[in-house]
């Protein structure tokens, strides 16, 4: 529980002590509090002292500047808490005062600190009671102490009085308990006097000096003021000496040096003067009453604070403004433990605001806990006006009135405040309002205050009227104040007004008073009206509402009437009209329009005016009111602000009305129509609109018939038709046909038609004659033409129009027939035949109307015929509407298609019909065609019928159709129509013509044939039957030949092993493919060409020689050359130019040995082939010529095996690939003997002898240049495949120098140079000695190079060949010398042999020496014997960084049959993978060998393949720069 509170001098810190002895420190700059657990003594004293362990708190400040809190314990121990080095309060020193205090003092009950004198007064409990004779402060329990900066920090001030107290030991033994002691002490502002409050209730004032304390005056509890008599204190009566008595003092503080603040237990706080012997209240005997147990503070700049507790739980809001404040350690032990936290929070929150600036008010204090709240009040000095104002605020009207009378203040404020706070009654009007002397204020209250009782309201208005009577207005002076005295006004009668007051000389104040009077009169008039509306008398008092009356006073009668109409109060409005008829008559229709549309018009029908003889009847009303003097005479022209405002409001309200003015019958009729439409449009209540229509009709309002029809239609649409969103406005936008459709009901159309649609049609007929028929026509037409609708609704309409009904829907029979025909012909559905028949039955018959129009009945008959036709079609499953049939009837083409379709469906129906049934069908069919399809002739009718029978796919139907064909029994007895089971002897009279019958039979046969799956299909039999019937007709020859032939061909093809599709056989554009299939399937079919020609005739093939060509081709494929030869001779005899390919193939056949016949075949081929094939024929001619030479000369050269002639190059596999684009096909294609035969053809004497070719039947000599070009191209094409064939082609050249084209087209490698030198040398040797071919071919390369230059001739051609030989021999020798590093070959003389020409052994040794110089460790024997070893050795040697050495390796490789590009590729692989060279070094190396890079570009395809397999797979660990470099290199190789 909170016991003590103390603040620092600057107000920044606060210390709180509770009953447990704990100390809590609050720092305003720090939001968190800190609790100090200070060491507490053990008390064996009284329970009261044990409850207050810390008796007091003092905020000390030593001379050295140290600041802290001193704790005074109840056991007389003092502890000082000073700030340590960290700025935190901690225990600094502790002094035990018990050793110094006399024994008669028990502990410390209170303490006071004088900052300027640096002394402390300690109060202890004593064993006696203080009284007036007290002269020693020690016997009052007071001791004086001085604060020191060093130990002992607290020193007593010794004097004689202390010694006397020390000797009073016997007194202590005499009293065992404490009897009295100071519990409250406080220094005044000068710190020269000390006021103390004792436990006994006595209050003493002491004079304090540095060395002594002297009693100045003491007042016992009986001498203190008594305020309990003026306040009622709860509880039982107690003695004044009891601390629970209301007059017992609980707190005391200084107000000034001459006055103290005394707080008593009952809550009375007063200021007492201490200068006299008695305590005198300096507030003129008044005091401030607070809740019991409140606490006070010392004077804080002419004010002090009071902390009180409100146990009722009310919320207190009090603003406090202070300049400076501090709080001493006052005892607040009267607070309970439950209220401790709330009180601490309240004190803390408010006192923290003391440190704020002076212009900032302390916020309201309100803390709650356990149902209690606390407030902090401020008591300060005040003037009489301030006191008066405060009394008024606290509603202490008696004291306020006393103050006003004593200090001559305005008493009107008291009466005005009491009037404002009190309820308006007649008593409050008399006691308060009538005592106010300010007439303007009273008048304003009369105008603004509205009591909740009509009598009081009238009394208040009467006060205002008496205040504004003539006498009061005439007494107004120039200042606008009443001339009456201060005792209030006393109204009097006005007398004769015009004699004493001139309206033209009124002052503005008088104008205002007249305006107020008029306003009061209007209020009184409204009050009377309101009372009449409420019922008057007791009802008016019971149901009077001040709010409603206030609302009525703000409005004119017109506004009140509109308000009553809006609130749907017709009775009140009726009373208002009775009392204010003149003001409402011209606006009555607008007032009636104010009723909500949702209000039933029956409720206010008595307010609607009536019409009699074209005039509006007037209503009964009250007599007009008597006007007041302010509205009469010259005062009627006086204008005031209130009247002008009312007039402006009324005019603004009148401007919004539509029917203002005199009420007439026309205006009432227009209002009634608009009102009906407004009701329907705004709320959609059709019933209210119809009620309004009934009310208007009852009031004799005319011109509403059209609106009645619209409402009836709308009611039917909304309530019966479900069109809830439809309105009268929307209804006007709809056409009559749309309305008729909306009145329709899909679920119950008959009821809807009778109850809604038919009445609507009759209403339309009344408005406009003929509208009913037009609407029905449009409606029924739309229903019948809608494919989603049936004719059921139309049937219901016609059933409502049956003849004999009292009110038929369609009264005219002619109109009924027209509408029925329209409905039937417009219906697009196929399932409405029954409804159509029912509609026709509803029409008047010829028997019922013998005098009827014949044309009308004829229309009905035509419709019946159409329905009969539709039924006939439906019998066979053909769905058709009458509308579609009518469309078909108008087009002859569609008629034929329709009838044909029906018959086709009937014929295909399963199961079929008998002859009797067909006879009935035929009869109905003919009848329909005669009645409905008049455009079909009799022949067409029969033709369509027979066509359907023929296409049915049944034998009996075909026999039945034969009845209608002109078949001759003599010519075809087998196909005479036989009797069908159940035959009734049906004899057909109308037969078809022969041509039409033939066409039908052939067409049927064709359809059966085409639709058959194979030759076994039964449809083939039907086709044959149709063809047999067709053959029995007397038709022209040749008809049906194709169809019969195809049927026979189908069987023949099956016999030959080909199952052809009949459809394919018929539709094929080229039926020769079936002959070809026979040749492919049947192995020996080509041996029977006659049978194939017969098949071709069946297939209707015109060109039979084409069969011969196909047979010859097949014989050639079977290698039956003899049979093929005979067929070729036949084709040649018949001059078949297309057989040139066969001739070419036969000539090229190696197994066919008749060379003479081959030559003839070639002549035919050359004569007939295109120009593009002449080259191939030329090659073939040369080949055949070589065969002829071989067959005539039978040359068989023998080669010497002991020598190695250069001619064997064509047999060496290592030399088989010499072209840059090497291929994997390096094996020769021909045998050695064949190649030698080709070589022997070089010396054929007939090579250049006029080759003659036959082109286009003309003989011409062949061009040698052309033939030589062909041979060069042949040599180039065979160079990669067979070097021997290539060399043989060059040998067959007419002009040998043409071979230069061949050698120029290939890269100039060593092997090519060697081959060229050998070719030209061989040609030179053969020209000089053509008979020694065998010897020339057996010459070695060296011998041939040596022999060719020795040839001596003057032949120009031979000389030219020698020059070419010298050219290539020299090139070959130079390349060989560069490879070996020697010049042994260059010493060879080309024209004549040199004696020093090296032999073959010498040449071989030179080659070996060259290889040894390049490659170390080579095995010479294995190098020459094994080609694979030779190639692998050279490729390994390519791993070099020397460009010169690489060139030598490449030359050596080409010298020994290895392609140079392969060596260069191996070197590239070495450079980019395992060389260890940098990118710069590799690029520098590649720049030195551009000629070798060119070899790779020439073989780019092979190199790219080699790169993918051998190089890129080994570069996975290479760095990025090397990869980029190789990518650039590979890109450069790929470029063209």
């Amino acid at each position: 529980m909170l016991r003590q509170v103390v603040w620092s001098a600057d107000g920044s810190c606060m210390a709180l002590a509770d009953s447990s002895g704990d100390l809590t420190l609050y720092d305003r700059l720090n939001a968190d509090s800190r609790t100090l657990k200070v060491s507490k003594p053990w008390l064996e004293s009284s329970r009261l002292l044990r409850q207050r362990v810390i008796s007091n708190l003092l905020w000390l400040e030593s001379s050295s500047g140290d600041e802290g809190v001193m704790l005074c314990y109840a056991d007389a121990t003092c502890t000082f808490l000073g700030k340590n080095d960290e700025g935190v309060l901690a225990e600094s020193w502790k002094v035990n005062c018990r050793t110094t205090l006399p024994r008669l003092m028990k502990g410390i009950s209170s303490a006071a600190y004088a900052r300027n004198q640096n002394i402390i007064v300690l109060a202890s409990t004593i064993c006696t009671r203080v009284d007036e004779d007290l002269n020693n402060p020690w016997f009052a329990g007071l001791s004086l102490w001085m604060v020191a900066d060093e130990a002992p920090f607290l020193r007593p001030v010794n004097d004689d009085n202390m010694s006397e107290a020390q000797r009073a030991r016997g007194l202590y033994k005499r009293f065992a308990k404490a009897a009295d002691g100071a519990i409250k002490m406080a220094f005044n502002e000068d710190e020269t006097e000390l006021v103390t409050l004792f436990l006994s209730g006595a209050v003493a004032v002491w004079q304090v000096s540095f060395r002594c304390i002297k009693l100045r005056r003491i007042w016992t509890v009986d001498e203190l003021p008594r305020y309990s008599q003026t306040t009622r204190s709860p509880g039982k009566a107690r003695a004044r000496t009891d601390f629970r008595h209301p007059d017992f003092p609980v707190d005391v503080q200084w107000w000034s040096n001459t006055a103290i603040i005394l707080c008593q237990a009952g809550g009375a706080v007063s200021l007492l003067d201490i200068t006299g012997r008695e305590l005198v209240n300096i507030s003129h005997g008044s005091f401030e009453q607070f809740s019991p147990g409140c606490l006070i503070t010392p004077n804080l700049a002419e004010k002090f604070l009071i902390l009180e507790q409100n146990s009722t739980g009310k919320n207190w809001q009090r603003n406090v403004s202070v300049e400076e404040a501090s709080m001493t350690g006052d005892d607040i032990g009267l607070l309970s433990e439950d209220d401790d936290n709330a009180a601490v929070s309240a004190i803390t929150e408010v006192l923290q605001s003391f440190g704020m600036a002076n212009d900032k008010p302390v916020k309201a204090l309100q803390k709650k806990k356990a149902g209690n709240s606390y407030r902090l009040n401020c008591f300060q000095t005040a003037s009489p006006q301030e006191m008066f104002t405060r009394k008024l605020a606290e509603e202490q009207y008696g004291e306020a009135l006393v103050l006003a009378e004593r200090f001559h203040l305005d008493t009107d404020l008291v009466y005005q405040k009491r009037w404002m706070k009190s309820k308006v009654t007649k008593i409050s009007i008399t006691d308060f309002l009538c005592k106010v002397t300010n007439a303007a204020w009273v008048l304003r209250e009369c105008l603004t205050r509205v009591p909740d009782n009509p009598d009081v309201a009238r009394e208040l208005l009467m006060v205002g009227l008496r205040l504004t009577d003539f006498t009061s207005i005439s007494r107004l002076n120039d200042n606008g104040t009443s001339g009456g005295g201060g005792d209030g006004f006393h109204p009097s009668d006005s007398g004769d007004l015009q004699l004493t007051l001139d309206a033209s000389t009124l002052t503005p104040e008088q104008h205002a008073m007249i305006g107020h009077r008029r306003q009061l009169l209007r209020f009184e008039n409204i009050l009377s009206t309101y009372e009449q509306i409420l019922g008057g008398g007791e009802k008016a008092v019971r149901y009077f509402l001040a709010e409603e009356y206030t609302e009525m006073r703000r409005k004119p009668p017109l506004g009140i009437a509109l308000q009553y109409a809006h609130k749907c109060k017709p009775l009140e409005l009726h009373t208002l009209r009775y009392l204010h008829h003149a003001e409402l008559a011209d606006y009555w229709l607008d007032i009636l329009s104010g009723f909500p549309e949702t209000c039933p018009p029956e409720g206010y029908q008595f307010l609607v005016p009536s019409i009699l003889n074209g005039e509006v009847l007037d209503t009964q009303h009250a007599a007009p009111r008597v006007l007041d003097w302010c509205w009469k005479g010259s005062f009627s022209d006086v204008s005031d602000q209130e009247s002008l405002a009312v007039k402006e409001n009324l005019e603004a309200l009148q401007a919004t009305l539509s029917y203002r003015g005199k009420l007439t019958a026309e205006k009432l009729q227009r209002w009634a129509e608009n009102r009906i439409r407004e009701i329907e449009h705004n709320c959609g209540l059709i019933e209210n609109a119809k009620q309004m229509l009934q009310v208007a009709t009852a009031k004799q309002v005319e011109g509403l018939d059209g609106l009645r029809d619209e409402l009836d239609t709308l009611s039917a649409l909304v309530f019966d038709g479900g069109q809830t969103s439809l309105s009268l406005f929307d209804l006007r936008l709809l056409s009559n046909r749309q309305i008729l459709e909306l009145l329709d009901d899909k679920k119950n159309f008959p009821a809807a038609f009778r109850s809604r649609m038919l009445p609507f049609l009759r209403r339309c007929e009344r408005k406009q004659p003929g509208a009913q028929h037009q609407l029905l026509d449009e409606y029924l037409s739309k229903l019948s033409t809608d494919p989603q609708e049936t004719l059921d609704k139309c049937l219901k309409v016609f059933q409502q129009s049956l003849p004999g009904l009292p009110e038929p829907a369609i009264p005219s029979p002619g109109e009924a027939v027209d509408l029925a025909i329209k409905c039937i012909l417009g219906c697009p559905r196929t399932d409405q035949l029954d409804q159509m028949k029912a509609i026709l039955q509803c029409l008047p018959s010829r028997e019922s109307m013998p005098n009827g129009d014949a044309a009308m009945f004829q229309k009905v008959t035509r419709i019946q015929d159409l329905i009969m036709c539709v039924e006939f079609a439906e019998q066979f499953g053909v769905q058709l509407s009458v509308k579609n049939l009518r469309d078909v009837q108008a087009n002859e083409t569609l008629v034929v298609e329709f009838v044909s379709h029906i018959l086709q469906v009937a014929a295909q129906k399963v199961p079929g019909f008998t002859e009797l049934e067909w006879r009935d069908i035929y009869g109905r069919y003919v009848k329909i065609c005669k009645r409905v399809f008049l455009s079909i002739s009799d022949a067409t009718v029969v033709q369509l019928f027979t066509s359907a029978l023929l296409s049915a796919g049944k034998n009996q139907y075909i026999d039945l159709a034969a009845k209608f064909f002109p078949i001759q029994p003599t010519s075809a007895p087998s196909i005479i129509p036989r009797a069908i089971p159940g035959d009734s002897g049906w004899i057909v009279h109308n037969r078809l013509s022969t041509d039409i019958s033939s066409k039908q039979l052939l067409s049927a046969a064709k359809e059966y044939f085409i639709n058959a799956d194979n030759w076994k299909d039964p449809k083939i039999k039907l086709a044959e039957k149709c063809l047999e019937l067709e053959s029995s007709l007397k038709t022209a020859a040749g008809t049906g030949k194709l169809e019969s032939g195809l049927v026979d061909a189908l069987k023949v093809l099956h016999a030959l092993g080909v199952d052809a599709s009949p459809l394919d056989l018929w539709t094929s554009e080229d039926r020769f493919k079936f002959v070809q299939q026979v040749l492919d399937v049947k192995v020996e079919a080509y041996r029977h060409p006659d049978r194939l020609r017969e098949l071709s005739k069946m297939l209707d093939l015109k060109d039979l020689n084409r069969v011969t060509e196909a047979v010859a081709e097949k014989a050639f494929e079977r290698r039956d050359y003899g049979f093929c030869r005979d067929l070729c001779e036949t084709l040649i005899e018949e001059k078949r130019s297309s057989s040139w390919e066969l001739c070419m193939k036969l000539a090229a056949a190696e197994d066919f040995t008749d060379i003479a016949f081959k030559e003839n075949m070639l002549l035919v081929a050359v004569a007939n082939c295109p120009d593009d094939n002449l080259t191939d024929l030329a090659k073939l001619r040369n080949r055949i010529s070589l065969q002829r030479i071989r067959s005539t000369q039978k040359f068989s050269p023998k080669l010497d095996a002991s020598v190695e002639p250069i001619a064997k190059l064509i047999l060496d596999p290592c030399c088989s690939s010499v072209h840059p684009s090497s291929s994997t096909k390096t094996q020769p294609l021909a045998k050695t003997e064949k190649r030698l035969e080709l070589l022997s053809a070089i010396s054929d004497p007939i090579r250049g002898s006029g080759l003659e070719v036959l082109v286009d039947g003309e003989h011409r000599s062949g061009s040698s240049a052309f033939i030589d070009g062909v041979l060069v191209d042949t040599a180039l094409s065979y160079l990669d495949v067979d070097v021997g064939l290539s060399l043989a082609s060059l040998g067959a050249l007419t002009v040998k120098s043409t071979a230069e084209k061949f050698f120029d087209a290939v890269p100039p490698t060593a092997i090519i140079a060697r081959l060229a030198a050998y070719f030209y040398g061989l040609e030179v040797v053969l020209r000089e000695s053509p008979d020694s071919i065998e010897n020339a071919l057996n010459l070695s390369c060296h011998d041939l190079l040596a022999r060719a230059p020795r040839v001596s001739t003057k032949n120009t051609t031979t000389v030219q060949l020698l020059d070419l030989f010298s050219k290539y021999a020299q090139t070959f020798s130079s390349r060989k010398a560069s490879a070996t590093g020697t010049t042994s070959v260059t010493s060879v003389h080309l024209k004549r042999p040199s004696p020093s020409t090296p032999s073959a052994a010498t040449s071989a040794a030179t080659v070996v020496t060259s290889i040894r110089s390049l490659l170390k460790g080579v095995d010479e024997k294995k190098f020459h014997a094994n080609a694979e070893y030779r190639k692998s050795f050279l490729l390994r040697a390519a791993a070099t960084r020397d460009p010169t050495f690489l060139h030598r390796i490449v030359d050596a490789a080409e010298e020994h049959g290895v392609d140079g590009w392969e060596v260069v590729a191996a070197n590239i692989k070495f450079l980019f993978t395992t060389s260890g060279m940098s990118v710069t070094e590799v690029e520098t190396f590649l720049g030195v060998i551009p000629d070798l890079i060119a070899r790779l570009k020439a073989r780019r395809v092979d190199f790219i393949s080699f790169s993918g397999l051998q190089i890129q797979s080994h570069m996975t660990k290479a760095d990025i720069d090397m990869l980029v470099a190789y990518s650039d290199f590979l890109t450069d190789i790929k470029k063209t």
Side-chain angles (χ1 to χ4, degrees), residues 1075-1112:
V1075 178
Q1076 192 68 41
Q1077 291 179 9
V1078 172
L1079 291 174
D1080 295 338
V1081 173
K1082 202 73 171 178
V1083 179
E1084 299 297 333
Y1086 72 93
R1087 285 287 184 177
H1088 308 282
D1090 297 336
R1091 190 176 181 182
L1092 294 176
R1093 289 189 185 94
E1094 186 66 25
L1095 176 62
S1096 300
K1097 292 179 181 179
M1098 296 178 184
L1099 295 173
D1100 196 24
L1101 296 178
K1102 306 301 181 184
D1103 189 4
L1104 298 180
N1105 289 329
R1106 189 177 178 187
V1107 178
T1108 305
E1109 291 181 1
V1111 172

Side-chain angles (χ1 to χ4, degrees), residues 472-645:
S472 300
I473 294 176
S474 62
R475 288 178 181 178
L476 286 177
N477 52 22
D478 296 336
N479 296 328
T481 59
S482 178
D487 296 335
F489 74 93
H490 302 281
S492 61
D493 297 334
S494 58
D496 192 0
L497 304 177
Q498 295 187 359
L499 298 177
T500 58
L501 189 62
D502 187 5
S504 61
T505 60
L506 296 177
T507 63
E509 291 77 9
Q510 291 173 335
H511 274 278
M513 294 295 287
I514 293 175
H516 294 328
R517 181 174 181 81
R518 292 175 177 177
Q519 191 173 7
L520 290 169
L521 289 172
R522 188 171 62 84
F523 289 169
E524 194 275 334
N525 187 14
I526 295 297
L527 179 61
S528 300
T529 303
Y530 186 45
E531 288 179 331
Q532 293 295 325
I533 290 173
L534 294 179
E538 293 296 332
K539 290 184 178 180
V541 176
R542 185 185 308 168
Y543 300 115
F544 183 85
L545 294 176
E547 294 81 4
E548 188 174 359
Y549 172 59
T550 304
E551 187 69 21
M552 292 177 65
R553 296 200 320 180
R554 298 193 186 101
K555 298 178 181 179
L558 178 59
I560 298 173
L562 291 174
Q563 182 179 1
Y564 279 144
H566 291 159
K567 294 182 179 181
C568 198
K569 295 181 178 181
L571 296 177
E572 291 83 348
L573 185 59
H574 177 69
T575 304
L576 185 65
R577 182 179 66 170
Y578 177 80
L579 298 176
H580 298 273
H581 180 268
E583 299 172 347
L584 302 179
D586 293 341
Y587 312 101
W588 190 245
L589 294 180
D590 291 291
I591 295 172
L592 292 179
S593 298
F595 277 94
E597 290 79 1
T598 57
C599 181
E602 294 178 350
Y604 57 91
Q605 62 179 344
F606 61 92
L607 298 177
V608 179
S610 300
I611 298 177
L612 182 63
N613 298 327
E615 298 292 335
V616 179
L617 297 179
D618 196 6
T619 58
Q620 186 180 2
H621 54 82
R625 296 172 64 91
V626 180
L627 295 179
D628 188 69
W629 64 267
C630 61
W631 298 103
K632 295 179 181 179
S634 60
F635 291 101
S636 61
D637 298 331
V638 175
S639 61
D640 57 276
Q641 294 183 357
E642 289 79 3
S643 300
L644 291 176

Side-chain angles (χ1 to χ4, degrees), residues 1-4 16-23 51 53-54 340:
M1 183 178 358
L2 178 65
R3 293 300 182 185
Q4 297 290 333
L16 297 134
D18 56 13
S19 58
S20 63
D22 294 334
L23 183 68
Q51 291 179 355
V53 177
I54 300 177
D340 185 25

Side-chain angles (χ1 to χ4, degrees), residues 32-44:
D32 298 332
S33 61
R34 187 165 58 92
T35 302
L36 299 179
K37 298 293 184 178
V38 185
S39 59
K40 299 177 284 292
W42 177 256
L43 297 179
E44 298 179 355

